[in-house]
Amino acid sequence: MMAAFMVALAMSPMPQIAPSVEQLQNDFEQAMVCRPIDGRHVWKGKIAFFIESYAFPTDDEAQTDVVGADAVLPADNDVETIKEFEAACTPTEQMALPSL
């Protein structure tokens, strides 16, 4: 009986644990640049996609040297949203590395 319980437990899906702020920050710092979506910069990390936070151009006090981005986690978004990010991060001829 106990063996059956252990097998069932091993085969059951584990709940997804959201990444920590530190994990997302590290992922963002190492993310690759993608094409913009709706005029906002986009990056692709190993954990999440990132999109530039909305900026308010009338804010004279805004820090122009700070990049703000929102994490877009695949588990938290619908399929169509993730497809849009994947398309923005798919290499094009201009983005592709030169062949050797």
Side-chain angles (χ1 to χ4, degrees):
M1 180 71 167
M2 185 62 147
F5 174 72
M6 295 302 282
V7 169
L9 182 61
M11 295 181 71
S12 65
M14 296 297 289
Q16 289 202 343
I17 299 172
S20 68
V21 172
E22 291 81 15
Q23 289 171 317
L24 289 172
Q25 180 65 39
N26 187 46
D27 194 37
F28 178 59
E29 290 172 1
Q30 297 176 17
M32 69 173 218
V33 176
C34 302
R35 289 182 300 283
I37 295 176
D38 295 333
R40 296 165 67 188
H41 292 99
V42 173
W43 300 266
K44 181 180 181 182
K46 293 181 180 179
I47 298 172
F49 292 97
F50 299 90
I51 188 163
E52 180 180 28
S53 297
Y54 281 110
F56 300 99
T58 59
D59 186 1
D60 294 334
E61 302 290 319
Q63 294 180 328
T64 56
D65 61 337
V66 176
V67 175
D70 300 311
V72 178
L73 296 165
D76 293 344
N77 289 277
D78 61 49
V79 174
E80 293 303 314
T81 299
I82 297 306
K83 283 183 182 179
E84 184 175 6
F85 279 89
E86 288 173 345
C89 295
T90 300
T92 63
E93 289 180 26
Q94 295 173 338
M95 292 176 65
L97 296 175
S99 59
L100 299 175

